[in-house]
Amino acid sequence: TKTKNEELQGGGGGTSNRTKKQNTTIKMESLSQSLYTEVCRYVSFEEVTQMLTINTNFNHKTLRVLRLFLKEYQTSLPSTIAKIEEEMVEVEPKLTKVVKDLESLTVAYFAQPCVYVMPPELVVRMMEIVGVFLKVEPSWTQSRRLLRDQDFVKRLIDCASQNEPCSSEVLEQAEIRLKKLAGRGQFQRCSVNVVTLYDWCLAVRDANQVKLRVQPSVQELERRIVKIQEIIDSVPTKVRETRR
């Protein structure tokens, strides 16, 4: 039979355990809220509320929800990439044809415009657009040097084949100059044959428009996956520290 002192001690221990449990619960609720807030830095509020009702009690369900977030983003990334590939399908044939046409050109093709001190205006405008994409100063002096460059064709092909899009500023400058040209038919009346360069500019512009439009969403999605995974990986340690 327990003595009165033992009962008192036991009762005190029960109160202490209850207090400790309550403190742990409060800490867990605080951890849950901070975790939720951290997730909301990388996931929109609308996306969060679609998957869970805000619950201040931290439990395995919360962690499971976070894993669902990660799984959802991992699933949506390939579909976003597929979307890029679908849009690129429309411009890829143009790029492929342009590259093939460039590979078949001789040095004489590019030597012809170089003989002009005062070339046709159409040629000047065309080479300015090429210079914008290749980051060369838009002047006829620089254009002539570019046309004489032994690596000119290689630079055109590399520019058409690169994965990273050009900057929006470059694309805007090229687009402004392209709008001043009346269309492909005008090159048939030009004394200098630069229609292949015109086709190259159009193909590079179209490809970069697609890349600039869709690639940022993929990069943002990849960033979110990394950050959410970091949050999930940190949970066990945070839980252990909270329960101490």
Side-chain angles (χ1 to χ4, degrees), residues 109 112 122-123 126 182-196 198-199:
Y109 179 91
Q112 183 189 7
L122 184 60
V123 176
M126 188 66 264
R184 198 174 190 276
Q186 65 190 317
F187 291 95
Q188 296 174 356
R189 300 186 297 272
C190 183
S191 59
V192 181
N193 185 11
V194 289
V195 67
T196 299
Y198 178 69
D199 291 340

Side-chain angles (χ1 to χ4, degrees), residues 99 102-103 105 110 134 146 149-162 200:
V99 169
L102 286 171
E103 290 173 340
L105 295 179
F110 298 108
L134 297 184
L146 193 58
D149 188 346
Q150 295 296 315
D151 291 329
F152 181 46
V153 173
K154 182 179 182 301
R155 291 178 68 178
L156 292 173
I157 293 174
D158 288 346
C159 183
S161 306
Q162 66 184 7
W200 176 86

Side-chain angles (χ1 to χ4, degrees), residues 126-141:
M126 188 66 264
M127 286 306 300
E128 283 182 359
I129 300 169
V130 173
V132 167
F133 280 120
L134 297 184
K135 299 178 181 178
V136 174
E137 180 187 346
S139 68
W140 180 241
T141 300

